[in-house]
Amino acid sequence: MATIKDIADLASVSKTTVSRVLNFDQTLSVSDETKKRIFEAAEKLEYTKYKRNRVIDKGKIAIVQWMTEKDELDDVYYLSLRMSAEKKILDEGYEIVRYFYNDTRIFDEEVIGIISIGECTPEQQQSLIDFTDNLVFVGMDILSTKYDSVSLDFDQAVNSVIDFFCARGHKNIGFIGGLDYGKTLPNHPVGKDKRTIAFEKYTSLRDVYREENVFQSSFDVESGYEMMKQAIVTLGQQLPTAFFIANDPLAVGALRALLESGIKVPERVSLIGFNDTSVAKHIFPTLSSVRIHTELMGEASVELLLEKLETGRQVAKKLIIATELSLRGSTGD
């Protein structure tokens, strides 16, 4: 059986770092790349901390991740959701069956419940519903179809950003984000992401919305760089004094574009990202960001499922997990 030392050796880090990462220690300051190496090593070695000295006989719970395994390893947000859910499942004495987007989903007949992580199409939802009513959807609001869900409060998150900027006297506020279409939803139409919709809503309520300040493309570093360069060129002296940026990779690219153009952060432009990944603490200036409690989301999804299994509850529940602002150098904090 693999040990923490085995993972540390494979990932080329200390045993302490492995232990803190696998226990979702939020005070640990390590890069996303280091976290990925540790998670990959744990997966490769089939490490399961809570299987040791524990008899697992309560049944199997499936985790369906609506992306490929490779895509998941590129995104610590989804990795953290799954691994925190798995940790809780094993701690409660259940076995895990794992499925990714590109797997053939023929569920083991011993599966008694499913945790679905990420956005999926109505057809994909139905494929899970056809198998069992014991379902929890993570990252989707599925209450309308009478199934449990755990999701973020995007309105609260974005409203807190706009409140912060307005309290600092910013009236010209920009937005850089991605379009709502994904690798997992190839036929899903391109549209506005939830953060874009919330940004438009709350800046409009404060009478500071300007259509020309909204830029959308893909959710990656290079897109953030290109969109900020476009904003600098097209807006000139009217460049916003503050930007809300829909994820941290976009913010990293946007920050690089500003610094290359000689635009000081936060003196001329303040930035707030989203997700509060570890990269936010390791760039200069450090990045203010909206922190998502992925470990709490993963644990809460399992708690909902176990409650339903144990009580037979028929009424659906929706848990909305709040976010919080982590303020750093990019806003002068």
Side-chain angles (χ1 to χ4, degrees):
M1 180 178 290
T3 65
I4 285 180
K5 182 179 184 303
D6 295 329
I7 297 171
D9 290 343
L10 186 58
S12 300
V13 296
S14 70
K15 292 188 292 183
T16 299
T17 299
V18 171
S19 177
R20 292 177 70 183
V21 167
L22 294 182
N23 282 285
F24 299 94
D25 184 345
Q26 294 296 323
T27 66
L28 178 65
S29 180
V30 297
S31 69
D32 285 344
E33 186 56 42
T34 299
K35 288 182 180 179
K36 288 175 188 174
R37 285 208 317 276
I38 292 170
F39 286 139
E40 286 175 341
E43 295 285 337
K44 184 174 182 179
L45 295 171
E46 298 183 347
Y47 171 79
T48 307
K49 175 181 177 182
Y50 290 94
K51 278 187 178 179
R52 190 175 302 144
N53 300 324
R54 181 184 292 278
V55 176
I56 298 176
D57 59 4
K58 292 185 177 180
K60 296 179 180 180
I61 294 176
I63 293 183
V64 179
Q65 183 73 287
W66 293 105
M67 58 178 55
T68 67
E69 193 165 8
K70 179 182 181 303
D71 289 337
E72 186 207 49
L73 289 172
D74 288 336
D75 193 326
V76 171
Y77 168 76
Y78 288 104
L79 252 177
S80 296
L81 284 176
R82 176 171 65 83
M83 295 201 70
S84 59
E86 289 185 350
K87 178 180 174 183
K88 180 68 173 176
I89 289 168
L90 293 170
D91 193 29
E92 295 293 335
Y94 293 84
E95 189 174 346
I96 294 165
V97 185
R98 188 182 303 145
Y99 299 89
F100 286 92
Y101 172 70
N102 53 345
D103 294 338
T104 301
R105 277 180 300 282
I106 301 175
F107 291 114
D108 187 318
E109 62 182 15
E110 296 179 10
V111 167
I112 59 174
I114 297 174
I115 304 288
S116 172
I117 299 176
E119 291 195 8
C120 57
T121 65
E123 292 77 18
Q124 291 164 337
Q125 293 171 27
Q126 192 60 47
S127 71
L128 304 183
I129 293 168
D130 288 343
F131 181 79
T132 182
D133 286 335
N134 297 320
L135 282 165
V136 179
F137 291 86
V138 185
M140 287 189 73
D141 179 356
I142 207 73
L143 193 65
S144 60
T145 55
K146 302 180 181 179
Y147 289 92
D148 290 357
S149 63
V150 179
S151 59
L152 293 177
D153 190 338
F154 283 97
D155 273 22
Q156 174 263 329
V158 177
N159 192 25
S160 68
V161 172
I162 305 306
D163 272 348
F164 174 82
F165 281 149
C166 288
R168 291 290 182 95
H170 295 285
K171 296 181 180 179
N172 188 9
I173 302 171
F175 175 81
I176 287 177
L179 293 166
D180 185 17
Y181 66 97
K183 304 166 189 173
T184 62
L185 302 174
N187 299 316
H188 189 62
V190 175
K192 292 181 179 178
D193 174 71
K194 292 177 182 177
R195 283 154 287 194
T196 311
I197 296 169
F199 175 83
E200 293 176 348
K201 174 182 176 181
Y202 288 107
T203 50
S204 295
L205 285 173
R206 292 166 179 78
D207 199 27
V208 293
Y209 175 73
R210 298 183 186 178
E211 185 178 358
E212 65 271 20
N213 286 349
V214 175
F215 299 85
Q216 298 175 85
S217 182
S218 301
F219 284 100
D220 55 69
V221 173
E222 194 57 34
S223 293
Y225 175 83
E226 294 296 338
M227 283 188 279
M228 184 58 81
K229 292 291 280 189
Q230 181 186 353
I232 292 168
V233 171
T234 59
L235 298 176
Q237 293 301 313
Q238 298 304 310
L239 183 72
T241 58
F243 275 89
F244 171 49
I245 304 182
N247 72 9
D248 289 350
L250 283 171
V252 170
L255 178 60
R256 177 160 60 92
L258 288 167
L259 297 180
E260 281 185 8
S261 299
I263 298 171
K264 292 184 178 181
V265 178
E267 292 84 354
R268 171 60 180 86
V269 175
S270 290
L271 300 179
I272 294 181
F274 197 91
N275 285 354
D276 198 26
T277 55
S278 55
V279 69
K281 304 172 188 177
H282 294 286
I283 58 175
F284 182 82
T286 52
L287 178 66
S288 295
S289 188
V290 176
R291 181 182 172 192
I292 299 172
H293 297 278
T294 52
E295 72 288 350
L296 180 58
M297 291 177 69
E299 291 173 3
S301 68
V302 177
E303 289 169 356
L304 274 180
L305 180 61
L306 296 185
E307 180 198 352
K308 190 167 186 178
L309 287 169
E310 291 167 5
T311 67
R313 171 174 52 81
Q314 297 297 309
V315 178
K317 285 186 178 182
K318 173 184 175 181
L319 290 183
I320 300 177
I321 307 298
T323 60
E324 60 183 313
L325 280 178
S326 294
L327 299 174
R328 301 188 181 91
S330 67
T331 51
D333 297 278

